[in-house]
Amino acid sequence: MYINEVVRRVKNSCPSEYDENEMYVWCDEVSAMLLIEDRNILVKAVLKPDKNGTVLLPHDVKFENIISVVCDGRTLNKKELNLNECKSCNSSVELLYIEPYEPIRAAVYRGDAAIADSSIEVNDCPFKVGDCLEITVDNNEFTVNVTDIKQNDSKYLIYFSGGNIQDTYETQDIHIKRIITEKTVCDAPYDGMYVDYILAKIAMYQHDFYTYNQFMTSFNSMLDAYKRWITDHMPQREGTLKNWW
């Protein structure tokens, strides 16, 4: 299920004072919990130590994310890493780590801009290549896809495709927002836990603890069912007996 569909269901079920940005944060809580506890995404990276033998971890990867490090054909454990054993490495280091969770990017820009030749020049750029953007200027709305981003002095030039923008605009009041395309970590029928969790959060902040308990009971029930499904369907290593006689 798309995250925006989760938000739509919550708003239809329980209109409240909370907007989609707050609901995105609550969706992040569920997604991060599932990915850290039940659905680890493992990434392998080959890194080159510097002249001092120091290896820089990839962006946002912390020490606790590391699963293993292979240096000169030898697998190092975390205790050895603390003792800087990898400084003896003369070649590349193979790093296996749990990919950190990336929160939903509800990126927005509002201010000065110039649009011409399938590009937008702005003062700040919270967007990335591949983002789908909704542009509102002079009461006109356009949907475009970001193909490239370049920085020119203090300005950013965002190249895009689509939108059928034929006019040239120079405005001090452009509104650009990233269209949220993220999905829930789990598929149907378990993705309903996101709706239950947000509804529970709304009830909690409204001090309606009876309703909060109802939705949290439903959330925990769905979460337990999902964990059982993961356990039954993920690859299992065959067990063997050692030192048996």
Side-chain angles (χ1 to χ4, degrees):
M1 185 192 308
Y2 285 98
I3 293 296
N4 277 341
E5 175 63 16
V6 173
V7 173
R8 186 191 67 81
R9 291 189 182 186
V10 170
K11 287 185 174 182
N12 288 343
S13 175
C14 178
S16 68
E17 65 272 31
Y18 301 102
D19 62 16
E20 60 269 16
N21 290 316
E22 291 164 307
M23 296 182 190
Y24 292 151
V25 173
W26 296 331
C27 287
D28 280 334
E29 293 177 5
V30 179
S31 295
M33 177 189 63
L34 294 177
L35 288 174
I36 291 174
E37 296 182 2
D38 303 296
R39 292 289 302 273
N40 292 158
I41 298 177
L42 301 183
V43 179
K44 182 181 291 185
V46 178
L47 309 174
K48 190 73 175 178
D50 63 17
K51 61 182 180 180
N52 298 318
T54 302
V55 177
L56 296 179
L57 294 177
H59 180 65
D60 284 342
V61 175
K62 299 180 181 179
F63 189 78
E64 55 265 30
N65 296 116
I66 298 174
I67 299 297
S68 66
V69 175
V70 178
C71 180
D72 288 340
R74 185 165 66 95
T75 300
L76 305 178
N77 58 38
K78 290 192 175 183
K79 181 178 179 180
E80 290 176 315
L81 291 177
N82 285 332
L83 295 175
N84 295 321
E85 290 291 326
C86 62
K87 285 193 174 183
S88 62
C89 294
N90 297 316
S91 58
S92 59
V93 173
E94 188 176 277
L95 178 70
L96 182 67
Y97 63 91
I98 299 174
E99 184 177 47
Y101 174 70
E102 182 178 355
I104 298 168
R105 293 189 303 109
V108 175
Y109 173 84
R110 189 156 201 162
D112 298 343
I115 303 178
D117 299 328
S118 298
S119 65
I120 310 172
E121 187 181 65
V122 292
N123 299 325
D124 185 31
C125 183
F127 309 111
K128 295 182 180 180
V129 174
D131 283 349
C132 184
L133 306 181
E134 182 180 276
I135 303 172
T136 304
V137 56
D138 295 341
N139 295 321
N140 296 317
E141 291 187 357
F142 308 95
T143 300
V144 302
N145 297 306
V146 179
T147 58
D148 195 12
I149 298 175
K150 294 182 179 180
Q151 186 173 4
N152 183 15
D153 296 329
S154 60
K155 301 284 187 178
Y156 293 85
L157 201 58
I158 303 174
Y159 294 92
F160 62 84
S161 63
N164 295 322
I165 302 178
Q166 299 177 351
D167 297 331
T168 299
Y169 292 93
E170 289 189 10
T171 178
Q172 295 180 340
D173 188 25
I174 193 172
H175 185 257
I176 308 174
K177 72 174 183 178
R178 175 179 178 263
I179 297 176
I180 304 301
T181 56
E182 284 87 347
K183 292 184 177 181
T184 58
V185 171
C186 53
D187 296 324
Y190 309 105
D191 50 6
M193 74 172 74
Y194 282 77
V195 177
D196 289 334
Y197 187 81
I198 295 177
L199 290 172
K201 280 284 192 176
I202 292 173
M204 181 185 70
Y205 287 118
Q206 292 177 340
H207 304 289
D208 183 357
F209 296 108
Y210 175 78
T211 302
Y212 166 79
N213 288 331
Q214 286 184 316
F215 283 118
M216 283 307 297
T217 299
S218 178
F219 168 78
N220 288 324
S221 176
M222 191 72 71
L223 178 61
D224 289 341
Y226 178 66
K227 289 185 176 184
R228 289 195 300 270
W229 185 87
I230 287 292
T231 302
D232 292 340
H233 291 82
M234 292 296 284
Q236 301 291 329
R237 180 179 298 178
E238 293 184 1
T240 60
L241 295 176
K242 293 184 178 181
N243 299 325
W244 175 259
W245 67 90

